[in-house]
Amino acid sequence: MFFRRETIIRPLRRPFTKRRTPQLQLQSQSQSQQRRAYGASPGRRQPGSWGTQVALGVLGAGAGAGAIAAGSYYFYDHEKRHESPWGEGSDHPRPGTEIGTGIGLQWKGKAVPALSLAEATAKLREEEMACMRLRDGVGGFHAVRVASNSPVEDEMVYAVEEVDEGGGEEEEGGRRPDASRLTYRRGWATSATLRDSLVPFVSRELRSAFAVAKEEATVSTTAPESRRNPRISPTAIDRAIKAAFLSLDKEIIEDGNAAIQESQSQAEVVSRQAPGYAGSCGLLSVFDPHSSVLRVACVGDSRAVLGRKNPDGKWEAEPLSEDQTGFNEAEYARVTADHPGETDVVSRDSGRVLGIAVTRAFGDGLWKWPLETINVASKRFWGRDPRPGYQTPPYLTAEPVISTTKIQSGKDGDFLIMATDGVWDHISSQHAVECVGQWIQARRAGTLPEKQRAVRTHNTVETGQRPVGYSSRWKVTPGDFVVEDENAATHLARNVLGGKNRDLFCGAMSATPPLSRNVRDDLTVQVVFFGDI
């Protein structure tokens, strides 16, 4: 049911009389009356057509002291615009449902249901995916996204790109990288742009780099082997990835700036500036199966961690990226050096750059656009005011920091965890690796639960107990872990949200926007396996 905002005042069919006992009157139109009122032909409901109309009148006690309050609503053709909320088993009343006063009086716990363990688990698994037995050194990957914001502010993608159609490559080269990327955004428009465009931009730059290497090999040598396997340096690959990141961000920022001068309508300005107003972190991994080299390019505070077994048989975490905030000493030094004479550009207390939590990001034009652009957008195109202390933009960059790692495969091969900051708010890198290692051990032992088996349900707190309450900054440790999911990424997300602590898990999963943003951030996890699991 979609409630219309305006109120329509209509007289009742039967007017109130003077000396009548205070009462409530209800009036309904027949379907044919509704259609005639709407101007539609009988026998067919039109999109947005009127449903049963209810007028409420309350008669005052004094003679002639009558007041009429009329509320109306109409049915919205929801199925044609969004996924229908009226699926099988839904408690949401379908269009046309007559709602009696008995139902309406029983309202408690219906708007935001308190989820049971089974219901919270079903919600956790809504956006999980897995792809196993992949080619060229990648054993497979698991992924999950758990929304908190509406719309959700995380995106992820996996792609296999044929970069060089020639032969193999030198030890440090890479012909067919497997690219896996996830982003975290502030506002959905930037990460949606990265979801569609970041991998193609990187692929284009890598193809160009390989083409240059092939041309140089052809000119510099006559050896057939060198022409078939052109050498491309690690520096050239890193340079290509950086160029792709910067090129995409430059287009986002410049198009938002040009929109003010070039656009033909207000709507066009809003559309073109949206990816620049929002912002996104980006995390890209590029794996070359021929050299077993993994590159991770990071912009922002999403994090990549490698899980590797040590000689003692324990899983250890190796960082593949560093969070790029003002708490990072290298980032603090870089930003302050770029803006000499400007005090408090980076807050030592909060680690924020003129109010923003990261030092590198895509989009975020309020930290990159010329001051004139921001002022014009603020006055004429519903934009936001400049940041306090805004003098010498840009204050943020989308140039990634790239790490390179030689991957170990085999039975106890490495695995990669890529996750947004909503995960790292609640778990350390080492504990995350131990959590996935626990899942691998259970899988090999054959003790993972069957996919369709319902997780046992019980009260989230013992009978007679009251919930203890939790801070939004809770932390989990291995003592909290449970193994109840076939998907390794979902397994990690469950334990980040409480694991054995059913009260915390069900409470966090029950929270809906806007409260949920105070409970947990969007969570996105990718686990890539390079070994046999």
Side-chain angles (χ1 to χ4, degrees):
M1 188 183 297
F2 181 90
F3 284 89
R4 200 170 184 174
R5 290 184 179 277
E6 61 265 30
T7 300
I8 296 180
I9 305 297
R10 287 175 177 245
L12 294 175
R13 180 184 294 276
R14 210 168 153 193
F16 290 114
T17 56
K18 246 174 150 182
R19 301 175 182 267
R20 201 163 173 184
T21 306
Q23 60 184 294
L24 179 70
Q25 292 187 347
L26 303 178
Q27 178 192 23
S28 297
Q29 289 180 309
S30 69
Q31 291 295 324
S32 59
Q33 287 174 320
Q34 294 165 24
R35 295 188 186 101
R36 285 196 294 271
Y38 184 72
S41 59
R44 182 179 179 185
R45 174 169 293 167
Q46 301 295 318
S49 59
W50 292 102
T52 302
Q53 191 169 47
V54 180
L56 305 178
V58 179
L59 182 66
I68 296 178
S72 65
Y73 61 87
Y74 70 97
F75 296 119
Y76 185 67
D77 192 11
H78 193 283
E79 290 92 342
K80 292 186 179 180
R81 291 163 173 81
H82 307 286
E83 182 180 351
S84 173
W86 301 293
E88 185 176 352
S90 171
D91 292 332
H92 193 101
R94 297 187 65 84
T97 301
E98 294 185 5
I99 302 178
T101 56
I103 298 176
L105 293 175
Q106 304 301 319
W107 61 269
K108 294 181 180 180
K110 290 189 175 181
V112 179
L115 300 183
S116 68
L117 183 59
E119 292 167 336
T121 293
K123 183 176 180 181
L124 176 74
R125 295 174 177 172
E126 282 178 353
E127 294 191 79
E128 69 176 10
M129 64 175 295
C131 187
M132 303 304 293
R133 299 182 181 88
L134 297 179
R135 57 190 247 184
D136 294 336
V138 179
F141 79 95
H142 290 184
V144 71
R145 181 174 71 172
V146 184
S148 174
N149 296 294
S150 180
V152 60
E153 297 186 351
D154 285 5
E155 296 286 354
M156 59 183 172
V157 68
Y158 177 87
V160 177
E161 293 288 338
E162 295 283 352
V163 175
D164 177 28
E165 297 178 355
E169 72 291 334
E170 296 298 323
E171 179 65 13
E172 296 296 333
R175 184 171 68 87
R176 285 196 306 246
D178 289 351
S180 179
R181 183 274 293 165
L182 67 83
T183 65
Y184 161 72
R185 68 195 184 194
R186 290 170 300 283
W188 61 270
T190 313
S191 68
T193 301
L194 268 60
R195 176 198 62 210
D196 297 335
S197 300
L198 182 57
V199 169
F201 268 66
V202 172
S203 178
R204 181 182 65 182
E205 293 296 335
L206 287 174
R207 289 176 189 274
S208 177
F210 274 99
V212 170
K214 185 177 292 187
E215 182 178 351
E216 290 176 349
T218 302
V219 172
S220 62
T221 181
T222 58
E225 184 64 23
S226 296
R227 290 197 299 270
R228 285 198 306 269
N229 300 294
R231 183 181 182 85
I232 179 170
S233 69
T235 302
I237 296 176
D238 291 353
R239 188 165 55 242
I241 294 172
K242 290 181 179 181
F245 276 54
L246 291 170
S247 176
L248 177 55
D249 186 60
K250 182 180 179 182
E251 289 189 15
I252 291 171
I253 295 301
E254 288 187 349
D255 192 57
N257 188 33
I260 292 178
Q261 286 79 32
E262 300 173 357
S263 296
Q264 301 299 309
S265 67
Q266 190 86 358
E268 185 180 350
V269 175
V270 171
S271 173
R272 292 175 62 178
Q273 286 200 325
Y277 262 123
S280 178
C281 301
L283 190 63
L284 176 87
S285 69
V286 180
F287 177 63
D288 173 10
H290 297 278
S291 62
S292 296
V293 171
L294 174 70
R295 285 179 173 82
V296 171
C298 179
V299 168
D301 58 2
S302 293
R303 190 185 305 172
V305 179
L306 190 73
R308 175 169 289 176
K309 244 186 183 181
N310 65 21
D312 296 330
K314 296 181 180 179
W315 290 102
E316 292 185 348
E318 295 189 10
L320 302 181
S321 67
E322 291 186 355
D323 298 350
Q324 295 160 358
T325 71
F327 293 125
N328 182 321
E329 290 298 328
E331 289 296 288
Y332 177 87
R334 179 185 61 82
V335 175
T336 53
D338 287 344
H339 303 278
E342 296 183 46
T343 59
D344 299 326
V345 172
V346 183
S347 169
R348 277 298 196 183
D349 294 331
S350 66
R352 293 176 175 267
V353 180
L354 296 185
I356 197 169
V358 293
T359 55
R360 300 180 190 239
F362 288 89
D364 281 320
L366 287 176
W367 286 262
K368 297 177 182 176
W369 281 323
L371 182 60
E372 181 184 359
T373 296
I374 297 174
N375 284 329
V376 171
S378 174
K379 294 175 182 177
R380 295 172 50 200
F381 301 108
W382 307 320
R384 283 172 276 178
D385 292 334
R387 304 297 305 172
Y390 197 79
Q391 300 178 46
T392 57
Y395 289 90
L396 305 180
T397 179
E399 180 178 357
V401 176
I402 300 177
S403 67
T404 302
T405 306
K406 190 80 169 181
I407 292 298
Q408 298 177 5
S409 57
K411 180 182 177 181
D412 291 324
D414 301 335
F415 61 82
L416 168 68
I417 301 174
M418 303 174 69
T420 51
D421 67 328
V423 172
W424 308 115
D425 286 342
H426 305 294
I427 193 170
S428 70
S429 297
Q430 178 59 37
H431 288 161
V433 166
E434 292 176 18
C435 187
V436 174
Q438 182 188 55
W439 180 91
I440 293 174
Q441 182 179 2
R443 179 183 176 92
R444 290 175 177 171
T447 57
L448 285 181
E450 297 176 6
K451 186 173 184 179
Q452 300 303 323
R453 191 180 77 189
V455 177
R456 63 186 185 279
T457 59
H458 54 73
N459 292 333
T460 58
V461 293
E462 296 296 329
T463 304
Q465 290 185 349
R466 295 177 62 84
V468 297
Y470 305 96
S471 163
S472 61
R473 307 298 293 183
W474 74 82
K475 295 288 185 179
V476 294
T477 61
D480 301 310
F481 296 165
V482 291
V483 183
E484 297 178 340
D485 299 278
E486 269 200 345
N487 186 294
T490 306
H491 164 76
L492 178 54
R494 175 191 295 277
N495 287 294
V496 164
L497 293 172
K500 289 180 182 177
N501 188 334
R502 309 303 196 183
D503 189 38
L504 173 58
F505 173 68
C506 293
M509 292 304 297
S510 295
T512 61
L515 172 65
S516 56
R517 189 60 183 85
N518 298 330
V519 179
R520 55 183 169 83
D521 201 352
D522 295 328
L523 308 180
T524 303
V525 181
Q526 284 177 303
V527 181
V528 183
F529 298 100
F530 299 103
D532 301 327
I533 58 169

